[in-house]
Amino acid sequence: MQSEQSTPQVPNRPTVREAFVRLMRDLGLDTVFGNPGSTELPMFRDFPKDFRYVLGLQESVVVGMADGYAQATRRAALVNLHSAAGVGHAMGNLFTAYKNQTPLIVTAGQQSRSILPFDPFLSAVQATDLPRPYVKWACEPARAEDVPLALLRAYHMAMQPPCGPVFLSIPADDWDRPSDWVQVRQVSHAIAPEPQAISRVAEALAESHRPLIVVGAGVDRDDAVDRVVQLAERHEAAVVAAPMSARCGFPERHRLFQGFLPAMREAIVETLAPHDLILVLGAPAFTYHVEGRGPHIPPTARLWQIVDDPQVAAWTPCGDSVVSSIGLAVDALLEGPGPRAQRVPPAPRPAVAPAPASEPMSAAFALQTLDAVRRPGDVVVEEAPGSRGTMQRCLPMAGAQSFYTMASGGLGHGMPAAVGIALARQRQRQAGRVICLIGDGSSLYSIQALYSAVQWGVPMSFVILNNRRYAALQDFAPVFGYGPDDKPAGTDLPGLDFVALAKGHGLAGRRVARAAELGPALRAAFEDAGPNLVEIVVN
């Protein structure tokens, strides 16, 4: 008689939802930024009570808030969008997150696998192709049970330098399928510099007579601002900000700070001309906005660039590059030799004269008043490209985590990013207020962010510079052959009422048109515990 064999007992397996949520918790992803659609509803059944769902009223706002939150926390943030239409709405700010090198995990609902062969309503055809090329990795797992494992890979891909968004398409019927628990694996995301290469940089810095350090957003992104200050002071090196830098890489009131490089080849070379060594940290060495000619650096200068993106290192047109995390590279330079000979420190940056209190107010007067009223610890999130040059003169930033803007040139990022940064700082119990400095035209790309600020009661102020036009376009028009009296079509914005728009979203607002009223209005706004809006009429 054949012996009877017992059937092995299979332990209960979690559902995809259970495994996904536990992995989210293990990774610290307890905040979801989203705008719900039908294909996402199964994901949020039995949503954990200790998680937060931050609603954005449009998908670009969702991605912008997540971008700001991830930048402020220096950790990946989780975004949930709706299949093809939702991802399409989000693409502008997804592009900005890509250029900002912001770690985002973007999940999007997909129609149920069982009906995908029939081209169903609300399905995403070739879902993973839609966000490319502005995501580092895109995946729709071949099997439902692979969804939690894909989340872990997505997290590490987003956090690996150069950081950036990744994308997961998840069919609606995956969430109740059986899966397996996924254990968090520790992965180092830092890149150490090659020892011989960084030694050559240190020697070149020590031997130079007039060094210049160009700082980019990567300095602050890698939490290296204080160490770069030490390096500049050790070598009495002049410091300038890279063109279009999206964060503050050096305190702008520091005696060694010399200003901002323009995004024009000839003007960059003219600024670099007095220096024999150019050390670029955390930025592309050359970001141009208009066509130029001639050399990229002065013929008597040597250029070294340190970036964490090998693609940037590859396309840089001249000089030598080291691929490394900025903090580790600066640590290595601080361990290297000091200057071989005594150096004369650069002359201080010229002071800016006070702007007169004209009416209507100038942008310079408005920003100098804002500078006088804001408090230590306040953070500026800017999207006022028509006033950026004025801001760089009149509103100096303090250094680490004091300033954010978009690296892409695309509008619609500033308002929601400011809300995300305020949410992060609110959770971290950081002192200071978030000031969203935004142009009237820029604000209308993502005005729905006002609603999210009200719902979460974040300590922030939207400060709108209302010049009733797309100033950046009108000011830039002569570059493309417009005469001094010519105005590009569609660049005037008359008749907008931002106080009414604020009220419609549940936000207190005030319009200021007289110079004498601006200081008191800003002080009152900044003393408020919650969000508010100040519209400043400028000429």
Side-chain angles (χ1 to χ4, degrees):
M1 183 176 175
Q2 192 173 14
S3 63
E4 185 176 315
Q5 294 183 349
S6 60
T7 303
Q9 295 296 313
V10 179
N12 290 331
R13 298 174 67 194
T15 64
V16 167
R17 183 188 302 101
E18 290 168 338
F20 194 94
V21 168
R22 191 173 86 168
L23 182 58
M24 285 175 60
R25 181 174 281 109
D26 292 344
L27 292 170
L29 301 172
D30 62 354
T31 300
V32 178
F33 295 87
N35 181 272
S38 58
T39 55
E40 291 77 62
L41 291 179
M43 177 181 178
F44 297 108
R45 196 168 68 245
D46 301 323
F47 193 63
K49 297 287 192 257
D50 58 326
F51 280 27
R52 298 192 298 176
Y53 186 94
V54 179
L55 172 65
L57 298 186
Q58 206 264 3
E59 287 89 346
S60 64
V61 172
V62 169
V63 174
M65 289 192 298
D67 185 331
Y69 189 84
Q71 288 197 66
T73 59
R74 294 195 172 97
R75 291 178 59 86
L78 187 73
V79 177
N80 185 248
L81 303 176
H82 183 45
S83 63
V87 176
H89 288 160
M91 280 302 297
N93 272 338
L94 193 60
F95 170 63
T96 293
Y98 175 80
K99 299 297 286 187
N100 284 351
Q101 292 185 221
T102 302
L104 296 182
I105 303 167
V106 180
T107 62
Q110 170 66 294
Q111 261 290 8
S112 298
R113 291 178 190 267
S114 61
I115 57 173
L116 282 178
F118 311 116
D119 195 14
F121 185 64
L122 295 179
S123 64
V125 179
Q126 298 178 334
T128 58
D129 289 344
L130 180 56
R132 290 189 171 112
Y134 302 119
V135 292
K136 295 176 62 178
W137 180 64
C139 175
E140 185 174 281
R143 305 180 306 166
E145 54 262 48
D146 295 330
V147 168
L149 195 59
L151 172 63
L152 182 60
R153 180 175 178 181
Y155 175 83
H156 288 304
M157 289 286 291
M159 291 294 293
Q160 179 183 350
C163 293
V166 297
F167 179 80
L168 291 177
S169 174
I170 306 173
D173 57 349
D174 280 5
W175 295 102
D176 291 313
R177 304 277 180 154
S179 184
D180 294 301
W181 300 116
V182 176
Q183 300 299 320
V184 173
R185 296 181 295 106
Q186 298 302 315
V187 177
S188 174
H189 299 121
I191 303 173
E194 196 276 318
Q196 292 183 341
I198 202 68
S199 292
R200 290 194 291 271
V201 180
E203 284 296 326
L205 190 56
E207 293 290 341
S208 65
H209 297 287
R210 296 176 305 281
L212 174 73
I213 298 175
V214 181
V215 294
V219 174
D220 191 29
R221 194 165 53 238
D222 209 23
D223 197 18
V225 173
D226 291 344
R227 284 169 284 173
V228 171
V229 171
Q230 294 177 40
L231 184 69
E233 290 175 345
R234 184 184 189 193
H235 290 276
E236 289 293 346
V239 179
V240 295
M244 307 296 183
S245 184
R247 293 175 72 156
C248 179
F250 200 86
E252 294 170 12
R253 284 188 169 93
H254 194 283
R255 63 181 179 84
L256 295 174
F257 187 71
Q258 301 290 292
F260 300 82
L261 287 181
M264 302 173 63
R265 184 188 303 191
E266 295 87 348
I268 289 175
V269 172
E270 182 181 355
T271 303
L272 302 180
H275 302 279
D276 61 341
L277 178 75
I278 300 140
L279 175 60
V280 182
L281 299 174
F286 307 98
T287 299
Y288 302 134
H289 192 194
V290 295
E291 185 180 8
R293 285 168 175 73
H296 297 280
I297 62 172
T300 56
R302 175 89 183 271
L303 183 138
W304 279 98
Q305 175 185 240
I306 300 176
V307 288
D308 63 6
D309 187 344
Q311 296 295 329
V312 171
W315 65 249
T316 299
C318 63
D320 299 305
S321 297
V322 177
V323 177
S324 170
S325 298
I326 306 305
L328 293 179
V330 174
D331 287 343
L333 294 176
L334 287 170
E335 293 174 0
R340 305 290 190 207
Q342 187 173 3
R343 293 186 179 132
V344 177
R349 190 183 181 198
V352 178
S358 60
E359 292 184 5
M361 290 174 277
S362 67
F365 175 83
L367 293 176
Q368 286 179 341
T369 304
L370 174 59
D371 182 43
V373 169
R374 65 174 168 165
R375 299 160 296 185
D378 288 349
V379 174
V380 174
V381 182
E382 175 265 336
E383 191 175 281
S387 301
R388 185 165 296 156
T390 305
M391 179 195 72
Q392 291 172 344
R393 294 190 302 273
C394 300
L395 191 66
M397 303 303 166
Q401 293 190 300
S402 65
F403 173 74
Y404 301 83
T405 189
M406 39 67 176
S408 65
L411 302 181
H413 171 263
M415 291 184 82
V419 176
I421 291 165
L423 279 167
R425 293 175 62 86
Q426 183 185 56
R427 169 162 281 196
Q428 296 164 343
R429 302 183 187 278
Q430 290 182 283
R433 191 171 186 83
V434 173
I435 301 168
C436 179
L437 178 65
I438 192 159
D440 51 346
S442 298
S443 71
L444 295 174
Y445 283 73
S446 53
I447 196 73
Q448 305 95 325
L450 297 176
Y451 176 85
S452 301
V454 171
Q455 297 307 305
W456 290 93
V458 286
M460 65 179 300
S461 295
F462 298 92
V463 177
I464 296 183
L465 299 178
N466 185 357
N467 55 22
R468 301 162 301 286
R469 64 189 182 112
Y470 288 125
L473 291 177
Q474 292 183 3
D475 296 345
F476 200 62
V479 175
F480 293 104
Y482 283 77
D485 298 323
D486 294 339
K487 185 183 296 185
T491 56
D492 282 335
L493 297 171
L496 291 169
D497 187 340
F498 290 97
V499 175
L501 287 169
K503 183 178 179 181
H505 288 85
L507 195 70
R510 178 174 179 180
R511 190 173 194 262
V512 181
R514 299 180 62 85
E517 298 172 356
L518 181 58
L522 290 174
R523 287 188 186 91
F526 296 169
E527 289 171 1
D528 195 354
N532 52 49
L533 180 145
V534 179
E535 175 189 356
I536 306 174
V537 179
V538 295
N539 59 20

